[in-house]
Amino acid sequence: MRIGVLSDTHLPAEVPTLDELGAHSAEFLASMDLIIHAGDVVLPSVLDWCAQFAPVVCAQGNHDHFHDERMSSVVVVEHEGWRIGAVHDVEGIPPYVNTVEDLKREVYRDTTLDILVAGDSHYERLEYRDSTLLLDSGSPIFPHHKSTRLGSMALIEVTRDGVRAEIVPLGETAERPNPCTHAAMEFDRNGLISASIGGAAQDLEAGRVRWRPRAAPPLRV
């Protein structure tokens, strides 16, 4: 099962689809079995564009002022025995939310989740802590809050035996460098198997990997 994740498309009205930035986004999503949009879709046409490739579910963002049956405040799906939850924003969480377990209970409303997807930050995030994957795909069009350019999406591959997650930079926009970093992680029910950031293998001895670009705002959870 291949699941594509994107967030924070923020397309202006004169740019109704991601095709306007080239073929990179379409090429990435074309091989997916499911697409999760983690909110701030902004234009409903973005969900319709994604739906040409695979079924779409979406976590409603603070800029999503429209109704769509594919969208809800919290999305929960299960595939191959792995439970995935998605919300738009985990930055504005209550001060008493300090652990991954707190986050599951108070924000995602499901303590059985194996994978937590969020957006809003525009910065890619890939972490494994407390037997849980935390993932932010970044923004494919407005990465790191820079001007409009290609950014990143994410891939989650699930089998009965394990999960592989990957942050995927989408390419380069002329004269506007892509600031996103490739990262990948693999784990099963026993814990981490491998992790790399920018092509560099990470130390798995602690049983967790916590990563986000240095320029990103600090994280509480």
Side-chain angles (χ1 to χ4, degrees):
M1 182 78 180
R2 290 171 59 86
I3 301 170
V5 182
L6 71 161
S7 182
D8 298 280
T9 37
H10 287 283
L11 289 168
E14 64 271 18
V15 185
T17 76
L18 293 173
D19 286 326
E20 302 298 324
L21 287 181
H24 301 80
S25 298
E27 289 171 354
F28 175 75
L29 294 176
S31 64
M32 300 304 154
D33 301 303
L34 175 71
I35 296 170
I36 297 176
H37 196 304
D40 276 6
V41 181
V42 181
L43 294 179
S45 59
V46 172
L47 295 183
D48 295 331
W49 181 84
C50 290
Q52 70 182 300
F53 305 110
V56 178
V57 291
C58 177
Q60 187 167 11
N62 54 300
H63 290 283
D64 295 332
H65 306 301
F66 62 92
H67 172 74
D68 192 292
E69 292 184 353
R70 295 165 292 195
M71 188 165 63
S72 56
S73 59
V74 181
V75 170
V76 175
V77 296
E78 182 172 346
H79 292 284
E80 301 292 346
W82 299 91
R83 292 179 58 76
I84 305 168
V87 299
H88 176 59
D89 183 10
V90 295
E91 301 302 324
I93 54 180
Y96 56 81
V97 175
N98 293 302
T99 68
V100 172
E101 190 72 12
D102 291 342
L103 191 63
K104 291 179 183 181
R105 182 180 61 253
E106 300 296 332
V107 177
Y108 291 82
R109 306 170 199 163
D110 188 335
T111 58
T112 68
L113 295 173
D114 304 296
I115 300 169
L116 306 182
V117 173
D120 190 61
S121 74
H122 293 226
Y123 284 87
E124 60 274 34
R125 176 185 186 183
L126 192 63
E127 301 184 23
Y128 183 84
R129 290 190 291 143
D130 302 331
S131 301
T132 305
L133 175 69
L134 293 86
L135 181 147
D136 187 331
S137 65
S139 172
I141 184 173
F142 198 30
H144 298 199
H145 294 281
K146 296 182 181 292
S147 59
T148 303
R149 66 188 68 192
L150 284 169
S152 59
M153 294 188 191
L155 167 66
I156 302 173
E157 290 184 290
V158 295
T159 68
R160 282 285 171 184
D161 296 328
V163 176
R164 185 180 184 277
E166 184 178 2
I167 301 293
V168 181
L170 294 171
E172 296 290 340
T173 303
E175 300 181 1
R176 300 177 190 175
N178 189 333
C180 301
T181 301
H182 179 272
M185 191 174 290
E186 187 175 358
F187 61 95
D188 60 18
R189 294 297 183 187
N190 296 316
L192 274 173
I193 298 170
S194 66
S196 66
I197 298 169
Q202 301 298 295
D203 182 7
L204 306 183
E205 194 169 313
R208 63 180 184 272
V209 172
R210 188 174 191 184
W211 171 76
R212 204 178 188 197
R214 290 182 179 178
L219 293 167
R220 282 195 22 241
V221 173

